[in-house]
Amino acid sequence: MATNTDALAAALAAAMGDTLKDVSVALGEVTAVIPHDRLRDALRVLRDRPELRFEILADLCGVDYSTYGGEGRDGPRFAVVYHLLSLAHNWRLRVRCFAPDDELPVVESAVDLWPCANWFEREAFDLFGIMFPGHPDLRRILTDYGFVGHPFRKDFPISGHVEMRYDPEQGRVVYQPVTIEPREVTPRIIREDTYAIGR
């Protein structure tokens, strides 16, 4: 007997054909990988075809695969992952699209297909530096406008590049290089033979 995920995988293969780079089913979830140059058409098919009808974009996020699995991976570093929901068919789908250039990751915007992608794409831009051509207002959403870098990239320093503080003499917020000195924190463990006995 075919499961819901098998039915979805079959419907994807029938409707999208060679547009799909890969379709996999793992842990009861279907993931489709789509090449960046065919992403817009594929997303439109997923939304508009009656046998698919993914009406809802539930989430969109960036991913940095530079140290995936602790060892890194061959292929592009950055991907955009879409989580789609079809209420008509009770299906969930994960769509992954890799940006071809690691230095300047670019993936077409999906705001005109699902307006809720607006803030999701701004978040992926802010935290990963992924550009979305076609986005109506691509600017930072979580970090400050003067923030340097993209903090969810795996090569971003843990302490950051700059810090901000209020300077009472100047009467404004100032930015300056980070002054945190690297240190190793070793937890102190106290072990007493009589600890918690008789309490």
Side-chain angles (χ1 to χ4, degrees):
M1 180 175 183
T3 64
N4 205 17
T5 54
D6 294 335
L8 172 56
L12 286 171
M16 303 184 74
D18 62 349
T19 301
L20 295 172
K21 191 172 182 180
D22 183 39
V23 176
S24 61
V25 178
L27 302 173
E29 297 181 357
V30 179
T31 301
V33 179
I34 298 175
H36 75 282
D37 57 342
R38 308 193 69 181
L39 178 66
R40 296 274 309 149
D41 294 334
L43 291 178
R44 191 175 306 280
V45 166
L46 289 169
R47 185 192 67 176
D48 296 344
R49 291 285 290 266
E51 64 270 28
L52 297 172
R53 285 191 57 193
F54 286 97
E55 309 99 339
I56 297 174
L57 172 65
D59 192 19
L60 178 156
C61 62
V63 180
D64 180 354
Y65 283 100
S66 62
T67 58
Y68 183 72
E71 299 176 3
R73 65 183 297 275
D74 293 330
R77 174 179 175 181
F78 295 101
V80 176
V81 179
Y82 305 80
H83 295 269
L84 304 177
L85 175 62
S86 171
L87 297 177
H89 301 290
N90 192 26
W91 285 342
R92 291 183 181 274
L93 175 66
R94 178 184 303 115
V95 176
R96 184 177 297 125
C97 177
F98 287 94
D101 185 0
D102 292 347
E103 297 302 316
L104 181 64
V106 175
V107 174
E108 288 289 325
S109 177
V111 171
D112 61 327
L113 298 172
W114 294 284
C116 67
N118 188 325
W119 282 20
F120 294 143
E121 290 178 355
R122 284 181 60 190
E123 182 181 54
F125 161 70
D126 191 3
L127 300 179
F128 291 95
I130 300 171
M131 303 296 293
F132 294 91
H135 191 286
D137 187 21
L138 193 62
R139 59 189 162 102
R140 292 189 181 272
I141 192 170
L142 295 173
T143 60
D144 188 62
Y145 293 117
F147 192 86
V148 177
H150 303 283
F152 278 16
R153 288 188 174 196
K154 303 248 176 106
D155 55 1
F156 189 81
I158 293 174
S159 62
H161 298 288
V162 295
E163 62 186 357
M164 64 179 217
R165 64 175 178 80
Y166 179 77
D167 187 340
E169 293 175 7
Q170 296 183 34
R172 64 183 181 90
V173 173
V174 295
Y175 295 90
Q176 59 193 37
V178 172
T179 57
I180 299 172
E181 295 180 15
R183 62 182 180 176
E184 185 176 325
V185 179
T186 306
R188 190 174 136 194
I189 300 171
I190 301 172
R191 297 188 189 270
E192 298 174 0
D193 292 337
T194 59
Y195 179 76
I197 295 177
R199 293 187 181 177

